[in-house]
Each structure stands twice: as C-alpha cells, then as structure tokens.
Amino acid sequence: SPSCAAWRCSGRCTNQRLIEMLDPLIILVALCCGLLARMVGLPALIGYLAAGFFLHETNFEAGELLHTLADLGVTLLLFTIGLKLVPKDLLQPKVWGTTVIHMEVMHLFYMGVLWLAGQFMPGLGLDATEIVVIAFALTFSSTVFVIQVMQEKGEMSSRHANHAIGILLIQDLAAVLFLSATKGTIPEPVALLLPLLWFLRQPVLRLLVHAGHGELFSLAGLGLAFGGAALFELVGLKGDLGALVVGALLAGSQKSKELSRNLMNFKDLFLVCFFITIGLDGWPQEEALILALVLGALALVKVVLYFPLMTWLHTPPRTALLAASAMGNYSEFGLVVIALATKSGWLDAGWASAISLTIATSFILSSPLSRRAHQLYRRYHSTWLRFESRRVQAARPDTRSARILVLGMGNIGSGAYDAIAEQHGQEVLGVDQNEQKLADHLRKHRRVVTADASDPDFWHRVELDEVELVLLALTNHPENMLVGSLLRDLGYTGRIAAVVRFKEEAAELEQHGYSAFNLYAQAGAGFADHAVQQLHPTPEGH
C-alpha cells in the first residue's frame, strides 16, 4: 500500500542518515588505532586498516562522506606525485633502469607464486586475469612507508632517500597508466587538445605566486587537482590521470615544492578514509587469508633483488642497501589498483581485504629491517663494498688538505663558506649531495664536492685528524644530529657548529658538545646591527 511504501522509504532514509552520522565516529576510531600503531613502532597505515576490520566486526557501515573523502584522497595522491616529477632526475639509468627491471622480475615472480597457490588451494578460484592484476599490484613499494621512515631518522635529504623516492615515483607512474586503462571508454576527440595545457604552466605559476602562502594557496592547489580530474573526466579519460598531469605541468618549480608540502596533510587525511573503507569490506576467506600472510612475508624478496640491481647500475653500495631496505614492502598504491580493478569487474571484491592484510604484514616485517640498515652496513662493510662498480670508485670526491668542512651548501652554508674562505682559501671544503648545484658553486670558485654527509664511506676518505671545524648547515635538526653523532663515532675530536631554529634544538646540540647558532634569535641581533648602521652610515672612504 502507499502508506507501507512511504514507511519503508522513511526507514531507508533514516538508516542512511544514521550511517552518515557514524562517519565521524569511524574516523575517531581510525585515529586511536593509528596512534596505537605508531606507539608500537609501526606505520599508522596499519592502524587505519585495523580500524576498518574492527569496525566491520561491529557491523559498522561507511557513509557517503567516507567514500567521497576516500576518492578525494586518491586524486590528491596522484596530484602530489605529479608535482614531484622532474624528468632529468627520473631519467637516470640507475633510477628508471632499476625500476623497470625490478618490476618486470617481481611481476613474473609473484605470478608464479599465485599460480602455485592456485594449484594447492583450488578454492581461491584464481584465473589468468586475476593472477596478472594481483601480481602487478604487488610490484610496487610504499612511498608513504619510505617517507615516514626517512623522516623519523632525519634522512629525508639523504642520497638514499632521494634514490628510493625516484624509484617509487616511476612505479607510481606505472600504476597511473593502469588506472587510466580502467576507465574502459574511448576518449572524446577533443582530448587531442590536452597537450595545449602546457602553455598554461607559466600563467598558473604566476597565479600561485599571487595566492601567497596561506589558505588561498592551499585552495588553489586543491582547485588545480580536482579541476584537472574533472577536465579529464569530461573528455572521457580517467580523472585521476588528469590530477597527475596537472601536477606534472607544475613540477620542477619552487611553487610545486611548496604546494606539495601544503597539500601533504590533506592527502594523508583523505587517504585514511580510503584505508578504512578497505577494512570495512570485511575479512578474506580462509585460503585467501593464508595466501595474504605468505605474500606479506615474500615482500622481503624485493630487497634481495633491489640491492644487486642498484649497484650494477652504478649506485654506491651504501645508498643501495639503505634504499633497498626501506622498500622491502608493498604499496598503498597496490590497494588503489586492486580497488579499481574490482570496480571494473576484473577481480572479486574479497581481494581488496586480502591485499590489505598482505601490505600490513609486509610493513610489520619491513620496519625492523629498515631500522637496522645502518647497523647491517657497518657490520658487513667489506662485503657490501665488493659490489661497488668501477664508475663509483672513480667518482670518489677529493678531500685532501681540507681543514674546515661546511656540510650543506644552501643559502646559509654558502654564505658561511664565502665568509670563511676569505681567510682560509682552499682549506675550506663545501659538501652537498645536490649534483645539479655543483656547476654553480664551481663557477663561483668554491671548492665543493658532491657527497652524502651521513655516509661513513665519505668520512673514511677524509683525514679527520687534520679537520679542525665542521659546520652543520643541513636541512633539518635530526639530520644535523645524525651527522654529528656519526663524526664522534668515527673518532673526530674537533669542533662542530650547527644551525638551529628553536631553543630546544640548541639545548640538545649543546648537550652533545656542539656549538649552536640559533638562526631566528641571532638573526634578529644581526638585523638590529644592520638597522643601526643605517642610522649612522659610514662615510665613503672610511
């Protein structure tokens, strides 16, 4: 009857409103689980996945808000990846060569494992398409995991961190190509005009300059990401591909770096919702559960392949080992691939929860390895050096007769170098790992070598007994502390001075016997001296 129909409709609407009201509670549970995971030394991502499974057991359902935020998270993920794409960095053979060969070999390896699993566990029902797609999803390593590990250790600016992130970016590009294929529709003819977007690069960068650095700047970034996605959807292409392309158009500029930092928290927050929805879909069947745990353990095989590939392609052994140890896991991007393959009907929906368990297992096993990487390198130092290629040996920096070392040749380091070099000349040596800046420093007649200041191999080639002063002008306080500790461990007894920004950082440095220059506090005194000189200008000729 009409009254019954109206009652049923009213009931459905009430249930939907109730589900939507529970979305904030779901996010709160995810926060608690993420904090617990972080407290026990695991990535917060594992906590988010666990929150989804826990909520599934309590019969919670995700509302429209959670799914919408999850989709936005994936779009922002691709946009921020695009912002980091610098072709001249990614086109180095040791970066793209390692990535391509590794992905191909691991794809074949995981296809073999899945085929064997299908023979011993017929209940899995794996067909050829499922084997190919799942194996492809397992070839990626986690960008989120690597960045979190490197940030916690103060190594985000290290050579091995940059090398690992370059490899991960190319892997992410491969995933994007797959995601664009899941659209399953023929693009509109007007899509041929999309290359003309390149001509908007300079106007957009000028617009970002005018947007300043606050909320207007972040809003402009969100508009570019979601606007690019909407444009590509309009012409029949995958929207997420549009977000990546628009990000790539801005890559390489100073504003792209700032925009990536500004949007990082938005992206991470929205991706939390994506990980929760994976767990909310429920547990895999028993056989898929067993396979998920086995595949999680097999993630460590990646490390075994990464290291020899990198050194073969002329990556220094230490860089190769530290980068490889951080990438012995599976990627959150694999979940994105599995989720979209499920929507396209290529996979059964249960595989999303199975792969999420696989990723969580790989993180749990990878965390101790990445933490012990430095210790493993020092303990088996001579063994790793056997893999060093002749090209790497020939490129060792010349550090002879250096008495004063400036570590980090950014604006502060370069200014310190110039001031000291006026009195000490070639006895001052600048050290920076950015090879692109080397030519500029040499043009200004600075003695600079490209090296990773946190690399013990570099310091073994320095006559530390002759060094009197080391200036730490690196990018952040944890990195300064890391290098200072390394120098003391190697027996350096000279003076160490470091740049800091906060009082607590200065206190920690002074506790370890380092001299601290507080950039903010002491810059104020310098500014005052400059201002006073304007009141009493020195006459010309005096």
Side-chain angles (χ1 to χ4, degrees):
S1 66
S3 60
C4 290
W7 181 84
R8 285 194 297 270
C9 180
S10 174
R12 284 195 298 269
C13 292
T14 302
N15 288 338
Q16 184 61 34
R17 284 196 296 270
L18 180 61
I19 290 173
E20 291 174 357
M21 289 173 61
L22 291 175
D23 278 350
L25 179 60
I26 291 173
I27 295 174
L28 182 61
V29 172
L31 169 64
C32 295
C33 291
L35 287 172
L36 286 173
R38 185 67 62 83
M39 288 169 63
V40 298
L42 295 173
L45 168 58
I46 294 178
Y48 307 145
L49 292 171
F53 287 116
F54 168 76
L55 291 168
H56 171 77
E57 292 301 311
T58 55
N59 296 319
F60 270 72
E61 293 184 28
E64 189 63 32
L65 172 63
L66 206 64
H67 287 291
T68 300
L69 292 178
D71 291 338
L72 294 179
V74 174
T75 300
L76 279 180
L77 173 64
L78 292 170
F79 180 67
T80 53
I81 287 171
L83 290 172
K84 298 173 185 174
L85 294 179
V86 181
K88 59 185 175 183
D89 293 339
L90 301 182
L91 291 178
Q92 299 178 65
K94 64 182 180 182
V95 177
W96 69 261
T98 299
T99 310
V100 172
I101 297 173
H102 192 276
M103 289 188 71
E104 287 293 333
V105 173
M106 294 311 300
H107 194 196
L108 292 173
F109 172 75
Y110 288 123
M111 284 174 62
V113 171
L114 291 167
W115 180 82
L116 284 174
Q119 301 303 308
F120 288 102
M121 294 183 284
L124 291 172
L126 285 166
D127 59 28
T129 300
E130 290 176 325
I131 288 175
V132 170
V133 173
I134 294 172
F136 177 66
L138 296 176
T139 59
F140 312 120
S141 297
S142 174
T143 306
V144 171
F145 181 88
V146 170
I147 289 175
Q148 179 176 319
V149 167
M150 297 300 177
Q151 284 178 337
E152 288 177 353
K153 295 194 292 186
E155 299 175 4
M156 268 305 292
S157 299
S158 66
R159 185 167 290 179
H160 57 270
N162 290 333
H163 192 61
I165 290 171
I167 291 172
L168 294 168
L169 285 175
I170 297 180
Q171 290 183 355
D172 293 342
L173 280 177
V176 169
L177 294 176
F178 174 85
L179 298 182
S180 62
T182 62
K183 181 69 177 176
T185 58
I186 299 175
E188 301 289 336
V190 72
L192 296 173
L193 298 177
L194 288 176
L196 296 177
L197 289 173
W198 172 255
F199 296 103
L200 296 178
R201 172 182 163 89
Q202 291 305 322
V204 170
L205 289 175
R206 285 196 292 270
L207 175 68
L208 291 175
V209 170
H210 289 299
H213 305 279
E215 77 285 349
L216 191 60
F217 182 70
S218 298
L219 185 61
L222 293 172
L224 288 169
F226 301 137
L231 176 63
F232 272 57
E233 287 282 356
L234 191 64
V235 298
L237 293 170
K238 188 73 176 174
D240 295 334
L241 177 61
L244 179 123
V245 168
V246 172
L249 289 176
L250 307 177
S253 66
Q254 189 60 41
K255 278 298 179 181
S256 70
K257 298 176 183 177
E258 184 183 351
L259 192 58
S260 179
R261 290 193 297 267
N262 274 33
L263 297 182
M264 185 69 71
N265 289 334
F266 287 104
K267 179 205 70 176
D268 292 344
L269 178 61
F270 294 159
L271 278 178
V272 169
C273 301
F274 172 77
F275 298 132
I276 296 171
T277 58
I278 294 296
L280 282 168
D281 289 337
W283 296 91
Q285 297 178 353
E286 183 178 350
E287 290 185 336
L289 177 62
I290 295 171
L291 176 61
L293 296 176
V294 172
L295 289 172
L298 289 175
L300 296 179
V301 175
K302 291 186 174 187
V303 180
V304 178
L305 181 59
Y306 270 128
F307 179 78
L309 270 179
M310 290 181 192
T311 53
W312 178 58
L313 291 168
H314 310 298
T315 301
R318 178 179 178 272
T319 301
L321 180 67
L322 298 183
S325 64
M327 294 191 290
N329 48 61
Y330 300 115
S331 173
E332 63 285 346
F333 228 139
L335 277 178
V336 178
V337 168
I338 293 295
L340 290 177
T342 299
K343 287 182 181 179
S344 302
W346 297 352
L347 288 177
D348 182 81
W351 281 109
S353 56
I355 297 303
S356 69
L357 284 178
T358 298
I359 294 172
T361 303
S362 75
F363 284 174
I364 293 171
L365 296 176
S366 181
S367 292
L369 176 62
S370 61
R371 288 197 192 94
R372 295 186 59 198
H374 288 280
Q375 181 182 343
L376 289 171
Y377 184 77
R378 288 194 294 270
R379 179 176 297 178
Y380 305 105
H381 182 257
S382 58
T383 301
W384 306 124
L385 285 183
R386 293 174 188 169
F387 292 87
E388 189 173 49
S389 69
R390 291 182 179 178
R391 183 184 298 181
V392 172
Q393 293 172 356
R396 290 174 179 173
D398 178 13
T399 61
R400 290 171 297 181
S401 72
R403 291 178 52 244
I404 300 171
L405 273 70
V406 181
L407 309 182
M409 291 295 289
N411 292 332
I412 297 173
S414 297
Y417 177 98
D418 291 339
I420 297 173
E422 287 182 4
Q423 297 182 19
H424 297 275
Q426 290 298 303
E427 292 180 332
V428 187
L429 177 67
V431 180
D432 198 289
Q433 66 169 349
N434 191 333
E435 296 179 2
Q436 298 169 10
K437 293 181 179 179
L438 181 62
D440 183 56
H441 288 307
L442 295 176
R443 192 164 48 249
K444 295 176 181 177
H445 306 291
R446 294 173 181 147
R447 185 188 175 195
V448 178
V449 297
T450 55
D452 185 346
S454 64
D455 185 355
D457 289 342
F458 166 71
W459 292 109
H460 283 308
R461 301 180 189 114
V462 177
E463 294 293 337
L464 287 176
D465 292 338
E466 298 180 5
V467 177
E468 299 177 10
L469 174 65
V470 174
L471 282 75
L472 300 176
L474 301 170
T475 56
N476 56 60
H477 177 64
E479 191 175 8
N480 283 334
M481 289 298 301
L482 174 70
V483 175
S485 176
L486 172 62
L487 283 169
R488 294 306 190 205
D489 290 343
L490 293 173
Y492 174 66
T493 57
R495 289 173 293 169
I496 298 177
V499 174
V500 299
R501 291 173 173 80
F502 304 104
K503 289 182 179 179
E504 57 270 23
E505 294 177 350
E508 185 177 7
L509 284 165
E510 288 164 359
Q511 254 185 341
H512 287 78
Y514 312 150
S515 172
F517 178 87
N518 192 312
L519 188 63
Y520 293 154
Q522 291 170 268
F527 178 52
D529 290 341
H530 170 77
V532 169
Q533 289 177 10
Q534 307 309 305
L535 292 174
H536 308 288
T538 303
E540 280 191 37
H542 289 71

